[in-house]
Amino acid sequence: MFTSGKATSPSHLLLGVLVAGAIMAATPSRAASPAPLPFPFLLPPVAAYEPPAAAPQIINPREDDAAAYELPARLRRQVVTYATREAPGTVVIDTPNKYLYYVLGNGQAMRYGIGVGRDGFTWSGVQSVTRKAEWPDWTPPPEMIARQPYLPRHMAGGPGNPLGARAMYLGGTVYRIHGTNAPETIGTHVSSGCIRLTNQDVVDLYSRVAVGAKVIVLPMERRADLGRVAR
């Protein structure tokens, strides 16, 4: 063949084709494919999945039993009309109806749902609060040990203690008004004579009751009208 009047040899023609092909291969195309991924051993390590750590449980004496159990409406702490001649600050235990009234005065009382003594362990009378304790220790009396020899002889105060968050001791008796770590027992006959409230409620009552306060415990057979104490 001829170019510009000169003959081109076949070898020169082949060389030109090869050079043109190399130039085209070196020129990036408009729709270049993505670069291949590196070899697996060059990829950054992938951290193993770890679930988020659970927040530590904080036990609050005002709230530790609320989330686990909700009292029936009638047993929840509430201000009620309560006709009585007892002085404000007096505590009345309505054993048959399973209520504790803290007299506020002006015809009103704060009413709490309670657990009372089981059959054969209820009692009645008038006592006074002789001592108060936060997160009290528990030392079962000999009579209780005799009936239930498996009980511990002493248990330090804390969330697992049967006396709960607070206790108010009644006269020289073995009886107390105290909290409980079993709120589902409120409204039942369950104890050996002590009066129990939820930990939330006993903390509230504890903040109101003074040492020396009068405590009236009505007998089981005396069915008082709700909201008033018969004379």
Side-chain angles (χ1 to χ4, degrees):
M1 64 182 297
F2 295 91
T3 303
S4 301
K6 294 183 179 182
T8 301
S9 66
S11 60
H12 288 170
L13 179 60
L14 178 60
L15 178 61
V17 171
L18 292 175
V19 171
I23 293 174
M24 292 178 64
T27 302
S29 64
R30 293 183 181 178
S33 59
L37 292 173
F39 291 105
F41 57 79
L42 296 180
L43 291 174
V46 178
Y49 171 76
E50 294 183 4
Q57 182 181 7
I58 300 174
I59 297 175
N60 184 329
R62 296 178 183 272
E63 300 175 354
D64 61 343
D65 57 3
Y69 182 82
E70 185 175 355
L71 290 175
R74 76 174 188 88
L75 296 174
R76 295 173 196 164
R77 180 173 74 241
Q78 55 194 291
V79 175
V80 297
T81 300
Y82 192 72
T84 179
R85 288 177 287 181
E86 298 295 341
T90 301
V91 174
V92 180
I93 308 296
D94 184 350
T95 306
N97 292 306
K98 303 175 188 67
Y99 291 137
L100 181 152
Y101 293 93
Y102 176 82
V103 179
L104 298 172
N106 298 318
Q108 291 188 318
M110 183 68 75
R111 190 179 76 186
Y112 306 81
I114 58 175
V116 299
R118 58 187 182 272
D119 289 346
F121 289 90
T122 58
W123 59 282
S124 61
V126 179
Q127 294 290 338
S128 62
V129 174
T130 52
R131 184 164 73 89
K132 298 168 60 178
E134 298 184 9
W135 293 110
D137 293 349
W138 181 44
T139 303
E143 308 95 290
M144 186 178 290
I145 293 292
R147 293 191 304 269
Q148 300 167 284
Y150 54 84
L151 292 176
R153 275 31 179 186
H154 180 80
M155 182 181 289
N161 192 300
L163 297 187
R166 304 288 187 270
M168 287 150 276
Y169 297 78
L170 303 180
T173 73
V174 296
Y175 302 124
R176 293 156 292 232
I177 299 170
H178 63 80
T180 181
N181 52 24
E184 67 278 4
T185 62
I186 300 303
T188 69
H189 293 270
V190 64
S191 75
S192 295
C194 287
I195 306 302
R196 63 174 62 181
L197 298 83
T198 66
N199 279 337
Q200 276 189 315
D201 284 353
V202 81
V203 167
D204 182 85
L205 180 65
Y206 184 95
S207 69
R208 299 173 188 272
V209 171
V211 171
K214 182 180 180 180
V215 179
I216 303 169
V217 181
L218 302 179
M220 184 62 199
E221 59 275 9
R222 180 176 173 181
R223 289 279 174 181
D225 292 334
L226 295 182
R228 50 188 313 126
V229 175
R231 294 296 183 214

